[in-house]
C-alpha cells in the first residue's frame, strides 16, 4: 500500500476534535497543573499537604450537611421569605408579608437566599454556602500567613482554624457568622497587601470588605478594626500624610459599604417597609448601636426571664474574667488551644527581630496579636448577654497567632531555649486539652489516654536535640496529635449530630450540671416550655399545618409569637406567618391598631396562641394588647395541642350564624 493511500485512510478514520473543546480542556488542565506545580521556593510537600488540609476541611464541613434540617428556623424562614418576595429579600424580612425583619442586616441572607432561588428551597441549599465560606476562610488564613512566613506556620494556622469546633458548627449552620469571619480575614489580608505594596487601593478594598462584614453582623465585625489600623500605621512605609489620606479612603469605603443599606432603610418611610426587628423605635440605627451594639457589652437592663431559670443554673451572678473561655460554658467552642495561643504571644518577643524582618511580616504579627488580644478580652469581660457561639470570632486570630508562634520558635536565636519553649507549650496545651476533655461526657478513656500520651511524648522529644532527623519529625507529629486531637474529635462529633435553635452548642454534654449545655439540653426537651418557645419554637402538628396551608385568601396564614414559633409554622405550611413582637416577643410591632386593621381587611386568617409565653415578665405591651383583643372577640379551638383563633369570624358573627340556622 502506498504512502498516499495510508495518509488518505488515516484522514478518514481519525476522530475530529472540536478546537473550542480542546482549548477548554487545555485551560482547565493548565489551571490544575498551575495549582499543583510547586512555586519557586516552596518545599515539594507543601502543595500536597495544603490539598489534604482543604480536602479534610471540605469533608468535615460538607458531609451530611442537611442533618440539622432548617437549623436556626429564625433565619431559614427569612431565607424562605426572600425566595417569595424581592422586598422581603432586600429588607431581610422574617415573612413575605413584610411585617418585621430579622434582627441582623441581610447580607448573609442574600447569599443563602440566592442559593435557595437557584437550587430550590431546602436545608442543603441554605447551608451549602455556609460550608463553602468556611473552607474559603481556611484557605485565606493559609494565604495570609504564607505570604510572609513558612509553610509549617501557614498550614498550622489553617488546621487550627478549621478544626475549631465552633467553626465546624457555624460552617454547617445558617447563622451569619461564617460570612462575617470570611470578610474579617479578607480585610486583614488586604491590609497586609497595603503594607507590602504601598498601594492605597488595597486599603480601600480592606475598608470595603470590612464594611460588608459590618453589614453582616454589625459591630461584632469591627473587633479586628483597631488591630488592622495599628498594623497599617506602624508598618507602612508611606509618608504620614499619605497614611492619613489612605486611612480616610479606607474609612470612607467602610462607611459606604456598611452604611449604604442602613441609609436606604432609614430613608424609606416606615409605612412602606417592614418593622426593623430588634429595635425599640423601628430604627436600624438604634438596632445597630443598642441591640447589636452596646447592649451586648453592658445590658441596659437585666432580662426579666432570668429569674425564671432554675436556681442551680444561675447560682453564679457572672462568669466574666480571664478564665471565662475555659469554663464549662465556653471551653468546648474555642478554648482548646487558648493557652497555646496565649503562650505564642508570650514567645513573640524572643524572635522579634527575625520575625518582623520585613514590613509584611511585622504587619501580620501586629494585626494577628492585636486582633487576638482584643477579641479575647472582649469575650472574657463582655456582659452576660454573650452567646457561646460568639467565640467563633476568636478562632481566626487564635489560628493566626498560633501559626506565627510556630514561626517564632523556628527563628529563635537560641535553639535550646526554643526547644524548651516548644516543649513547654505542647505539654501545657496537651494537659489543658486533656483536662477539658475530662469535663465532657461520652469520650472514650482510650482516646483520652492516647491524646495525653502522644502530646507528652512529643513534648519530651522536642526538649532535646534529636540524634536523627526522623525523631524530630516524630516529635512534631506526636505534638500535633496531642494538641489537635481534642478539638478535631469534638468537631467530628459536632458534625455527626443535628443542631437546632438560636444558641447551638458544639460537642457532647458537659459533666457539670449547671452549664449552658445542660440547661439547653433540658430546654430542647421542653423543660421549661417557655424557654423552648423562645430558643427552638413551637412544633406545629400536621392538622395545624394543613389548616394554615389552606389560607390563600390571606396575606398571612397566621400570626403567632415568638419568632421561632412563627418561623417553624411558616416553613411547615409554606404560608407567610406574622411574628408578633419579633424574636422574643418584645418588639412593639405590630401595634394594636395595625393588627386590627389587618384583621378587618382579611389579611390575617388565624392567631396561634401561646399562653406560656404571655405569662413571661416584660413582654411587649402591644403583644399583650393584641392577645387581649383577640381573646375578647374570637372563639378558640385546640388543634394539635395549639390554641387557635379564627380571625375571619368574630364571636358575634358566629352567634348570628348559629341563630339563623335554628330559626323556623
Amino acid at each position: 500500500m502506498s504512502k498516499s493511500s495510508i495518509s488518505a485512510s488515516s484522514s478518514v478514520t481519525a476522530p475530529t476534535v472540536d478546537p473550542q473543546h480542546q482549548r477548554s480542556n487545555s485551560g482547565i488542565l493548565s489551571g490544575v497543573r498551575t495549582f499543583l506545580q510547586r512555586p519557586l521556593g516552596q518545599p515539594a510537600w507543601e502543595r500536597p499537604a495544603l490539598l489534604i488540609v482543604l480536602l479534610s476541611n471540605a469533608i468535615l464541613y460538607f458531609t451530611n450537611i442537611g442533618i440539622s434540617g432548617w437549623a436556626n428556623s429564625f433565619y431559614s424562614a427569612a431565607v424562605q421569605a426572600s425566595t417569595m418576595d424581592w422586598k422581603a429579600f432586600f429588607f431581610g424580612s422574617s415573612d413575605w408579608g413584610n411585617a418585621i425583619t430579622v434582627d441582623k442586616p441581610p447580607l448573609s441572607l442574600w447569599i443563602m437566599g440566592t442559593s435557595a432561588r437557584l437550587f430550590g428551597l431546602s436545608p442543603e441549599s441554605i447551608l451549602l454556602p455556609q460550608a463553602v465560606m468556611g473552607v474559603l476562610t481556611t484557605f485565606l488564613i493559609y494565604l495570609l500567613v504564607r505570604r510572609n512566613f513558612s509553610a509549617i506556620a501557614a498550614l498550622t494556622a489553617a488546621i487550627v482554624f478549621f478544626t475549631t469546633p465552633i467553626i465546624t458548627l457555624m460552617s454547617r449552620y445558617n447563622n451569619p457568622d461564617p460570612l462575617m469571619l470570611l470578610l474579617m480575614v479578607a480585610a486583614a489580608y488586604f491590609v497586609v497587601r497595603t503594607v507590602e505594596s504601598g498601594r492605597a487601593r488595597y486599603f480601600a478594598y480592606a475598608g470595603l470588605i470590612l464594611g460588608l462584614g459590618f453589614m453582616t453582623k454589625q459591630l461584632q465585625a469591627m473587633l479586628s478594626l483597631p488591630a488592622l489600623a495599628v498594623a497599617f500605621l506602624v508598618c507602612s512605609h508611606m509618608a504620614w500624610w499619605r497614611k492619613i489620606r489612605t486611612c480616610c479612603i479606607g474609612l470612607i469605603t467602610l462607611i459606604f459599604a456598611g452604611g449604604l443599606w442602613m441609609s436606604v432603610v432609614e430613608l424609606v418611610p416606615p409605612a412602606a417597609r417592614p418593622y426593623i426587628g430588634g429595635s425599640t423605635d423601628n430604627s436600624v440605627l438604634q438596632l445597630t448601636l443598642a441591640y447589636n451594639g452596646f447592649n451586648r457589652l453592658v445590658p441596659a437592663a437585666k432580662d426579666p426571664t432570668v429569674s425564671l431559670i432554675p436556681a442551680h443554673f444561675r447560682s453564679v451572678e457572672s462568669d466574666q474574667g480571664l478564665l471565662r473561655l475555659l469554663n464549662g460554658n465556653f471551653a468546648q467552642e474555642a478554648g482548646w488551644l487558648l493557652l497555646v495561643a496565649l503562650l505564642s504571644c508570650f514567645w513573640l518577643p524572643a524572635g522579634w527581630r527575625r520575625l518582623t524582618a520585613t514590613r509584611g511580616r511585622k504587619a501580620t504579627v501586629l494585626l494577628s496579636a492585636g486582633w487576638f488580644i482584643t477579641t479575647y478580652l472582649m469575650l472574657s469581660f463582655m456582659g452576660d448577654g454573650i452567646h457561646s457561639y460568639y467565640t467563633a470570632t476568636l478562632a481566626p486570630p487564635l489560628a493566626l497567632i498560633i501559626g506565627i508562634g510556630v514561626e517564632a520558635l523556628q527563628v529563635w536565636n537560641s535553639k535550646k531555649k526554643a526547644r524548651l519553649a516548644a516543649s513547654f507549650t505542647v505539654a501545657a496545651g496537651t494537659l489543658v486539652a486533656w483536662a477539658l476533655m475530662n469535663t465532657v461526657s461520652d469520650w472514650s478513656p482510650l482516646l483520652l489516654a492516647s491524646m495525653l500520651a502522644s502530646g507528652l511524648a512529643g513534648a519530651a522529644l522536642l526538649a532535646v536535640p534529636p540524634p536523627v532527623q526522623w525523631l524530630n519529625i516524630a516529635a512534631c507529629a506526636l505534638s500535633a496529635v496531642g494538641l489537635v486531637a481534642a478539638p478535631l474529635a469534638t468537631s467530628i462529633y459536632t458534625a455527626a449530630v443535628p443542631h437546632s435553635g438560636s444558641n447551638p452548642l458544639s460537642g457532647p454534654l458537659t459533666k457539670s450540671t449547671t452549664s449552658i449545655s445542660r440547661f439547653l439540653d433540658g430546654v430542647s426537651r421542653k423543660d421549661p416550655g417557655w424557654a423552648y418557645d423562645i430558643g427552638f419554637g413551637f412544633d406545629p402538628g400536621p392538622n395545624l399545618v394543613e389548616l394554615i396551608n389552606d389560607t390563600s385568601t390571606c396575606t398571612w396564614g397566621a400570626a403567632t409569637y415568638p419568632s421561632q414559633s412563627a418561623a417553624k409554622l411558616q416553613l411547615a405550611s409554606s404560608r407567610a406567618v406574622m411574628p408578633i413582637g419579633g424574636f422574643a416577643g418584645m418588639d412593639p410591632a405590630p401595634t394594636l391598631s395595625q393588627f386590627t386593621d389587618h384583621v378587618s381587611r382579611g389579611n390575617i386568617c388565624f392567631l396561634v396562641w401561646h399562653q406560656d409565653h404571655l405569662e413571661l415578665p416584660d413582654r411587649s405591651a402591644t403583644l399583650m394588647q393584641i392577645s387581649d383583643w383577640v381573646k375578647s372577640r374570637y372563639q378558640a379551638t385546640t388543634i394539635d395541642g395549639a390554641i387557635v383563633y379564627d380571625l375571619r369570624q368574630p364571636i358575634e358573627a358566629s352567634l348570628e350564624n348559629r341563630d339563623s340556622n335554628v330559626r323556623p
Side-chain angles (χ1 to χ4, degrees):
M1 186 179 291
S2 66
K3 290 183 180 179
S4 60
S5 62
I6 293 174
S7 176
S9 174
S10 300
S11 65
V12 171
T13 59
T16 59
V17 178
D18 180 7
Q20 183 65 33
H21 180 69
Q22 187 177 29
R23 283 195 299 271
S24 175
N25 283 342
S26 176
I28 293 172
L29 293 174
S30 176
V32 172
R33 282 196 300 269
T34 300
F35 182 78
L36 292 176
Q37 284 173 354
R38 174 164 57 106
L40 188 64
Q42 267 196 7
W45 53 264
E46 180 178 356
R47 193 54 60 89
L50 174 60
L51 290 174
I52 291 171
V53 168
L54 294 178
L55 179 61
S56 302
N57 189 181
I59 291 172
L60 180 62
Y61 289 2
F62 285 97
T63 301
N64 199 14
I65 196 169
I67 190 174
S68 294
W70 296 118
N72 190 341
S73 300
F74 179 61
Y75 290 120
S76 289
V79 172
Q80 180 192 31
S82 75
T83 66
M84 303 295 289
D85 179 76
W86 285 109
K87 182 177 179 180
F89 182 96
F90 177 77
F91 287 105
S93 299
S94 293
D95 59 283
W96 56 96
N98 290 296
I100 192 169
T101 70
V102 298
D103 55 8
K104 299 291 184 293
L107 185 57
S108 178
L109 296 176
W110 289 354
I111 294 174
M112 291 185 283
T114 299
S115 175
R117 281 181 177 268
L118 289 174
F119 305 111
L121 181 70
S122 68
E124 289 78 10
S125 68
I126 291 175
L127 297 177
L128 280 173
Q130 305 290 89
V132 170
M133 287 185 280
V135 176
L136 284 176
T137 308
T138 300
F139 183 51
L140 196 53
I141 283 176
Y142 162 82
L143 291 178
L144 175 57
V145 178
R146 190 63 179 102
R147 286 194 67 83
N148 291 285
F149 298 104
S150 67
I152 292 291
L155 291 169
T156 298
I159 292 170
V160 168
F161 176 78
F162 93 78
T163 58
T164 302
I166 192 58
I167 298 300
T168 299
L169 175 55
M170 288 292 103
S171 298
R172 298 171 57 88
Y173 214 66
N174 57 338
N175 280 22
D177 301 76
L179 177 59
M180 178 189 71
L181 298 180
L182 174 61
L183 294 170
M184 292 173 80
V185 175
Y189 178 85
F190 278 108
V191 168
V192 174
R193 290 291 302 272
T194 307
V195 171
E196 292 171 340
S197 67
R199 295 174 180 172
R201 73 168 184 264
Y202 289 127
F203 203 74
Y205 297 158
L208 182 69
I209 290 168
L210 203 58
L212 294 176
F214 180 87
M215 194 180 157
T216 303
K217 217 173 176 194
Q218 299 196 312
L219 292 180
Q220 189 175 352
M222 298 297 104
L223 280 172
S224 63
L225 182 59
L228 300 185
V230 169
F232 169 70
L233 292 173
V234 171
C235 302
S236 175
H237 67 275
M238 295 180 184
W240 272 102
W241 70 270
R242 280 199 65 205
K243 287 183 182 181
I244 294 172
R245 188 180 68 176
T246 302
C247 282
C248 290
I249 293 172
L251 184 62
I252 289 170
T253 57
L254 189 156
I255 293 173
F256 174 80
L260 181 60
W261 177 83
M262 290 177 56
S263 300
V264 172
V265 172
E266 288 290 344
L267 291 172
V268 174
R273 60 167 171 78
Y275 184 92
I276 303 302
S279 70
T280 57
D281 60 358
N282 200 8
S283 165
V284 70
L285 185 61
Q286 198 273 342
L287 171 72
T288 303
L289 297 178
Y291 184 85
N292 286 329
F294 297 110
N295 288 358
R296 302 286 180 176
L297 303 178
V298 183
K302 194 74 173 180
D303 187 344
T305 57
V306 171
S307 62
L308 302 178
I309 297 175
H312 64 284
F313 287 115
R314 50 186 173 87
S315 57
V316 178
E317 186 65 22
S318 174
D319 63 356
Q320 291 174 318
L322 292 174
L323 298 180
R324 169 188 262 180
L325 301 185
L326 291 174
N327 69 28
N329 293 330
F330 300 97
Q332 280 202 94
E333 315 296 348
W336 301 101
L337 297 177
L338 180 60
L339 180 60
V340 175
L342 291 170
L343 288 173
S344 296
C345 290
F346 187 76
W347 304 137
L348 294 183
W352 186 258
R353 180 169 296 182
R354 296 179 64 188
L355 198 62
T356 60
T358 66
R359 294 182 183 276
R361 288 168 71 92
K362 189 174 184 180
T364 307
V365 172
L366 286 180
L367 74 84
S368 299
W371 184 5
F372 170 72
I373 293 170
T374 300
T375 307
Y376 168 60
L377 293 177
M378 184 65 70
L379 292 173
S380 296
F381 292 99
M382 70 181 291
D384 294 329
I386 182 175
H387 292 292
S388 55
Y389 63 84
Y390 288 0
T391 53
T393 317
L394 184 67
L398 181 142
L400 291 172
I401 203 64
I402 289 178
I404 294 171
V406 169
E407 184 82 5
L409 294 174
Q410 291 179 14
V411 301
W412 203 336
N413 290 328
S414 171
K415 294 300 180 185
K416 180 178 180 181
K417 291 180 179 179
R419 284 193 164 278
L420 291 176
S423 176
F424 177 77
T425 301
V426 171
T430 299
L431 288 171
V432 168
W434 177 79
L436 293 179
M437 288 283 273
N438 276 282
T439 66
V440 178
S441 307
D442 300 334
W443 289 123
S444 163
L446 179 61
L447 172 64
L448 298 179
S450 301
M451 179 193 77
L452 181 63
S454 177
L456 294 181
L461 289 174
L462 284 176
V464 294
V468 289
Q469 181 59 25
W470 67 265
L471 273 179
N472 197 49
I473 296 174
C476 293
L478 289 170
S479 300
V481 170
L483 293 175
V484 177
L488 179 59
T490 306
S491 288
I492 293 172
Y493 178 96
T494 300
V497 299
H499 298 83
S500 61
S502 57
N503 189 17
L505 298 172
S506 60
L509 286 174
T510 63
K511 294 177 180 178
S512 170
T513 58
T514 61
S515 65
I516 290 175
S517 67
R518 287 287 178 176
F519 174 68
L520 290 177
D521 179 60
V523 171
S524 68
R525 291 180 277 104
K526 303 183 181 182
D527 178 25
W530 62 266
Y532 183 83
D533 286 349
I534 293 177
F536 295 90
F538 178 83
D539 298 300
N543 295 316
L544 177 59
V545 170
E546 183 179 359
L547 176 71
I548 304 304
N549 180 256
D550 190 24
T551 55
S552 58
T553 59
C554 300
T555 302
W556 293 277
T560 190
Y561 45 85
S563 278
Q564 288 284 14
S565 296
K568 280 190 170 180
L569 184 56
Q570 178 173 290
L571 289 164
S573 66
S574 299
R575 296 287 298 129
V577 176
M578 177 186 288
I580 303 174
F583 177 76
M586 299 175 69
D587 296 345
T591 63
L592 177 60
S593 62
Q594 290 171 333
F595 186 85
T596 56
D597 182 60
H598 282 309
V599 173
S600 66
R601 294 172 181 270
N603 292 338
I604 309 173
C605 285
F606 296 94
L607 174 75
V608 181
W609 182 282
H610 296 294
Q611 184 62 36
D612 285 351
H613 189 77
L614 294 178
E615 293 174 355
L616 296 178
D618 204 30
R619 295 305 91 184
S620 165
T622 57
L623 172 59
M624 305 305 295
Q625 292 167 1
I626 290 170
S627 301
D628 292 341
W629 182 83
V630 169
K631 189 175 183 179
S632 67
R633 287 168 174 78
Y634 297 91
Q635 185 70 40
T637 57
T638 301
I639 303 174
D640 294 336
I643 299 173
V644 181
Y645 288 88
D646 189 341
L647 303 182
R648 299 169 297 182
Q649 194 172 32
I651 293 175
E652 295 82 359
S654 299
L655 293 174
E656 289 176 6
N657 291 339
R658 185 193 65 186
D659 293 341
S660 64
N661 290 334
V662 298
R663 286 189 187 116

